């Protein structure tokens, strides 16, 4: 419920602006929405079971990892698109979801990738500030998703992802709010989820959308 409260509005705002811009950002939008659905499903699972083994946790993260790879691959095929910086800002920010695996201080991990995305947001602001403010609003909406996520992580998962130490119970059951949140969405559609892919390597976020190197600035 806390995740929904934090993310739903900014994600909806970004979705509307993405539809307005169209092009390649609209083409990649379904994968971006799917990755946030997968994140929500992971949090739903964590709220109902104890922390699993590292191998099981990696299998559970496979939908997120696979989508990160697909989004990054899509970006790489669009090097000549006028929305190249938009796609890069997407690809740079999404590994922030790796906070799920960060112990002790996960919130700064999210901030790190907000800053990485800013490298590509800045050229968008320069190009469209005076010609098409929709692009400026789009960048603000994209950053807002992760800024709200950082707040959510800092408040709810301060020292790492919270698993349910008492399976069968609902966290925060003493709250006066309704304890049930909407059920997670099945990634496999009406036919059910597909078989899980092989577990990813332990450093699965390490090689996906790394922060840009300084030498790239010469091309801006």
């Amino acid at each position: 419920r806390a995740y929904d409260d934090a993310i739903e509005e900014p994600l909806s705002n970004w979705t509307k602006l993405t539809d307005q811009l169209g092009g390649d950002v609209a083409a990649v939008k379904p994968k971006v929405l799917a990755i946030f659905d997968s994140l929500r499903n992971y949090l739903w699972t964590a709220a109902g079971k104890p922390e699993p083994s590292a191998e099981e946790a990696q299998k559970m993260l496979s939908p997120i990892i696979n989508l990160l790879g697909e989004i990054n691959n899509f970006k790489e095929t669009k090097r000549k698109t006028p929305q190249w910086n938009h796609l890069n800002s997407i690809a740079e920010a999404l590994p922030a979801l790796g906070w799920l695996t960060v112990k002790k201080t996960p919130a700064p991990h999210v901030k790190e990738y907000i800053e990485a995305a800013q490298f590509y947001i800045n050229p968008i602001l320069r190009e469209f500030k005076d010609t098409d403010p929709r692009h400026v609003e789009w960048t603000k909406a994209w950053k807002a998703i992760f800024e709200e996520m950082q707040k959510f992580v800092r408040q709810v998962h301060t020292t790492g992802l919270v698993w349910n130490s008492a399976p069968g119970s609902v966290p925060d059951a003493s709250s006066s709010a309704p304890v049930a949140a909407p059920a997670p969405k099945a990634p496999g559609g009406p036919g059910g989820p597909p078989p899980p892919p092989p577990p990813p390597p332990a450093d699965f976020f390490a090689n996906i959308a790394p922060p840009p190197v300084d030498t790239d600035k010469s091309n801006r």
Side-chain angles (χ1 to χ4, degrees):
R1 185 173 295 280
Y3 172 82
D4 289 344
D5 289 344
I7 301 301
E8 276 188 349
E9 183 176 347
L11 186 59
S12 175
N13 189 31
W14 175 82
T15 300
K16 292 175 184 176
L17 289 164
T18 296
D19 289 338
Q20 291 178 23
L21 294 188
D24 290 317
V25 291
V28 82
K29 181 191 72 173
K31 293 184 184 297
V32 175
L33 297 179
I35 207 170
F36 283 102
D37 283 343
S38 295
L39 170 61
R40 186 185 186 280
N41 291 352
Y42 194 92
L43 294 174
W44 173 277
T45 301
K49 64 180 292 180
E51 184 170 3
S53 66
E55 182 179 2
E56 183 181 353
Q58 288 183 359
K59 289 180 180 178
M60 291 167 56
L61 284 165
S62 292
I64 294 176
I65 299 158
N66 292 340
L67 284 163
L68 282 171
E70 290 175 15
I71 291 167
N72 200 53
N73 290 339
F74 177 85
K75 177 205 73 176
E76 290 300 319
T77 67
K78 300 292 182 177
R79 288 185 170 271
K80 294 184 179 180
T81 178
Q83 295 180 339
W84 171 246
N85 286 313
H86 299 67
L87 295 180
N88 271 286
S89 68
I90 291 173
E92 290 294 334
L94 284 174
L97 275 59
W99 73 263
L100 291 167
T101 67
V102 177
K103 303 291 186 181
K104 294 186 178 179
T105 54
H109 178 88
V110 179
K111 183 179 180 182
E112 175 184 349
Y113 285 92
I114 297 174
E115 294 172 351
Q118 188 68 47
F119 180 90
Y120 291 100
I121 287 174
N122 288 338
I124 299 173
L125 299 178
R126 289 195 295 268
E127 180 177 357
F128 294 102
K129 181 177 63 174
D130 298 323
T131 59
D132 192 342
R134 293 178 303 170
H135 293 264
V136 176
E137 292 305 310
W138 183 90
T139 64
K140 292 178 180 178
W142 181 239
K143 284 184 63 177
I145 296 170
F146 296 92
E147 290 165 350
E148 291 303 316
M149 183 181 295
Q150 184 188 9
K151 294 176 186 176
F152 160 76
V153 173
R154 188 169 61 239
Q155 294 169 2
V156 182
H157 301 278
T158 310
T159 58
L161 177 63
V162 178
W163 296 82
N164 191 344
S165 59
S169 67
V170 178
D172 299 323
S174 61
S175 171
S176 59
V179 296
K185 300 177 182 178
D203 59 345
F204 50 83
F205 286 101
N207 296 318
I208 298 176
V213 295
D214 290 339
T215 54
D216 287 345
K217 294 179 180 177
S218 62
N219 298 324
R220 299 287 153 205

